[in-house]
């Protein structure tokens, strides 16, 4: 194990022993632990601060919320495992991470499934549709309780990507998920799955030729320092989810459940507002201070490669069909929106 990884591991063990030593209790209060892979200034984290404030205002005599940003409690995959056991109450994780729990979540990683942000929000805010997905993992000890916007994913690299031909043979970091790997294959690039926290170094030392993510990754985790081009090919809108330990949620009484539901609604709203604001800032800062050049790629060339994947994915996973058709309907309904 490298020294850096060893230090991280020891830190994780210390934090866990500490939080578990409290056995989830702090001076008579139940400690609610939230793991987040993003920095404290990221919209997801600011949203959870609003969640914390609401819960502690309403139920502060009983609960204390502690947020661990920067992946302090491990990469999303490990944090989700801790959440399954009840060592953590909440985890923020990408839809891609949830695919290994239930492949219904692969719907969110299908490239170009949403035609625009309006259709995307309409679908994500449809609680009835979402609960069909959110509750699929209860038997594994976790369930999703809310969603956060994570923008549109695009390639960022050290050479300009104008058409899909330009990514041919490039090694591109992806979030670990079968759909992401199939998508990169279809683009003709080589998918390199790895945790988010390792991407900066992997680009810097040329382990990969680039990555793909929203604009915020350029500034929040400084990927803009190690790439020259951010190429708008717009391949995915993959949301983040707030995932909870099922026994914890189920153990709340009805009035507490209502307060938690409200806190989650507030967090979603705060995140979405922060998201829009910070994305603009990220574009400005990465251009002016980091020297990143933004390129409008030929989206159609990328789309053509992956549209056949839709039918293939539907064929292999019949349970996403109803949701796929619903998304299609929303795309049609909002076709004139942005
Ligand atoms: C986005 C997303 C994170 C995810 C990351 C990644 O930043 O918000 O939840 O971990 O992408 O690519 O791993």
């Amino acid at each position: 194990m490298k020294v850096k990884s060893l230090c991280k591991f020891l830190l994780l063990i210390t934090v866990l022993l500490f939080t578990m030593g409290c056995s989830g209790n702090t001076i008579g209060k139940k400690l609610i632990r939230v793991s987040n892979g993003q920095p404290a200034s990221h919209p997801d984290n600011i949203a959870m601060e609003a969640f914390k404030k609401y819960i502690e205002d309403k139920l502060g005599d009983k609960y204390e919320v502690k947020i661990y940003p920067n992946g302090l409690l491990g990469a999303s995959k490990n944090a989700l495992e801790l959440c399954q056991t009840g060592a953590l109450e909440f985890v923020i994780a990408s839809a891609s991470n949830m695919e290994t729990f239930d492949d219904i979540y692969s719907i969110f990683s299908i490239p170009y499934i949403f035609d625009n942000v309006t259709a995307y929000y309409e679908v994500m805010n449809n609680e009835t549709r979402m609960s069909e997905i959110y509750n699929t993992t209860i038997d594994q000890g976790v369930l999703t309780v809310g969603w956060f916007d994570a923008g549109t994913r695009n390639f960022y690299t050290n050479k300009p990507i104008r058409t899909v031909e330009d990514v041919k043979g490039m090694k591109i970091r992806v979030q670990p998920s079968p759909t992401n790997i199939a998508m990169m294959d279809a683009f003709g690039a080589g998918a390199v799955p790895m945790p988010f926290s390792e991407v900066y170094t992997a680009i810097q030392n040329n382990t990969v030729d680039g990555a793909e993510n929203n604009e915020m990754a350029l500034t929040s985790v400084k990927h803009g320092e190690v790439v020259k081009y951010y190429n708008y090919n717009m391949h995915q809108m993959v949301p983040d989810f707030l995932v909870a330990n099922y026994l914890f949620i189920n153990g709340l009484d009805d009035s507490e459940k209502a307060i938690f539901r409200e806190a989650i609604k507030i967090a979603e709203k705060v995140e979405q507002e922060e998201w829009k604001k910070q994305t603009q800032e990220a574009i400005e800062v990465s251009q002016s201070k980091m020297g990143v050049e933004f390129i409008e790629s030929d989206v159609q060339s990328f789309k053509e490669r992956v549209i056949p994947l839709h039918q293939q994915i539907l064929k292999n996973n019949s349970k996403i069909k109803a949701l796929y058709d619903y998304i299609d309907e929303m795309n049609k309904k909002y076709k004139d929106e942005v």
Side-chain angles (χ1 to χ4, degrees):
M1 197 184 277
K2 287 193 206 122
V3 177
K4 206 170 146 203
S5 311
L6 182 65
C7 289
K8 267 195 186 163
F9 179 70
L10 289 176
L11 180 65
L12 175 62
I13 294 291
T14 313
V15 173
L16 278 182
L17 285 178
F18 176 74
T19 57
M20 284 165 167
C22 298
S23 56
N25 285 291
T26 134
I27 349 165
K29 293 184 194 180
K30 160 85 182 147
L31 187 62
I32 299 174
R33 296 151 291 198
V34 183
S35 167
N36 181 16
Q38 305 281 0
S41 57
H42 187 277
D44 290 3
N45 213 74
I46 293 176
M48 291 315 289
E49 291 288 352
F51 169 93
K52 170 184 165 72
K53 179 162 185 324
Y54 191 80
I55 295 294
E56 290 180 355
D57 279 354
K58 300 279 175 195
L59 298 168
D61 53 335
K62 204 164 164 196
Y63 297 107
E64 182 183 331
V65 179
K66 182 129 183 60
I67 306 163
Y68 297 89
N70 290 313
L72 189 64
L73 299 184
S76 307
K77 179 177 176 292
N78 306 79
L80 282 167
E81 283 162 8
L82 291 172
C83 192
Q84 277 187 291
T85 67
L88 290 176
E89 282 69 25
F90 291 97
V91 174
I92 298 170
S94 169
S96 291
N97 295 110
M98 295 305 289
E99 229 177 285
T100 47
F101 284 81
D102 194 299
D103 62 6
I104 196 160
Y105 278 92
S106 64
I107 189 97
F108 302 106
S109 296
I110 296 180
Y112 302 105
I113 187 161
F114 297 106
D115 282 355
N116 56 45
V117 175
T118 311
Y120 173 59
Y121 267 60
E122 189 68 21
V123 171
M124 298 308 300
N125 285 330
N126 183 326
E127 289 182 17
T128 315
R129 292 284 177 172
M130 283 305 121
S131 68
E132 289 163 20
I133 301 179
Y134 287 4
N135 293 332
T136 53
T137 55
I138 287 179
D139 58 348
Q140 296 173 71
V142 288
L143 79 165
T144 296
V145 290
W147 77 280
F148 293 147
D149 192 352
T152 303
R153 297 181 78 98
N154 297 285
F155 281 91
Y156 46 93
T157 47
N158 277 309
K159 71 167 213 200
I161 307 293
R162 301 193 193 278
T163 82
V164 72
E165 283 303 320
D166 295 326
V167 293
K168 194 169 173 194
M170 283 181 106
K171 286 178 286 168
I172 302 291
R173 178 271 170 174
V174 291
Q175 296 199 76
S177 110
T179 315
N180 290 335
I181 295 170
M183 172 182 72
M184 276 305 155
D185 283 353
F187 286 150
V192 183
M194 75 174 62
F196 190 44
S197 59
E198 292 171 20
V199 181
Y200 182 102
T201 314
I203 301 176
Q204 193 179 39
N205 65 22
N206 298 319
T207 306
V208 293
D209 300 313
E212 49 75 56
N213 213 321
N214 51 56
E215 298 92 332
M216 198 115 37
L218 298 172
T219 49
S220 65
V221 283
K222 302 195 167 44
H223 291 178
E225 287 179 355
V226 288
V227 296
K228 292 200 182 69
Y229 300 97
Y230 189 84
N231 312 276
Y232 279 116
N233 72 303
M234 318 283 282
H235 55 270
Q236 286 168 323
M237 291 181 202
V238 183
D240 280 341
F241 287 121
L242 181 62
V243 179
N245 173 268
Y246 174 66
L247 289 181
F248 171 71
I249 295 287
N250 201 39
L252 298 170
D253 67 32
D254 285 350
S255 72
E256 288 176 342
K257 274 188 186 145
I259 291 171
F260 273 78
R261 261 199 301 276
E262 184 58 21
I264 292 162
K265 286 283 144 248
I266 292 170
E268 288 180 341
K269 195 161 172 286
V270 167
E271 199 271 348
Q272 286 160 18
E273 282 160 9
E274 273 298 314
W275 185 266
K276 291 183 188 92
K277 194 177 102 206
Q278 288 201 31
T279 296
Q280 277 319 309
E281 287 165 6
I283 295 170
E284 279 153 33
V285 170
S286 53
Q287 271 174 319
S288 64
K289 301 221 163 58
M290 299 171 136
V292 176
E293 191 180 323
F294 284 74
I295 291 191
E296 294 295 334
S297 311
D298 173 7
V299 173
Q300 197 52 31
S301 72
F302 283 88
K303 255 193 192 169
E304 277 163 12
R305 291 286 179 90
V306 289
I307 290 303
L309 258 189
H310 288 214
Q311 290 315 316
Q312 214 172 300
I313 293 171
L314 284 171
K315 210 172 109 206
N316 296 337
N317 188 353
S318 58
K319 63 184 166 194
I320 63 173
K321 175 82 171 96
L323 199 67
Y324 183 91
D325 291 345
Y326 166 65
I327 295 175
D328 201 34
E329 208 182 291
M330 292 304 110
N331 284 335
K332 289 190 178 117
K333 181 167 175 194
Y334 296 106
K335 68 176 178 355
D336 299 325
E337 305 288 328
V338 283

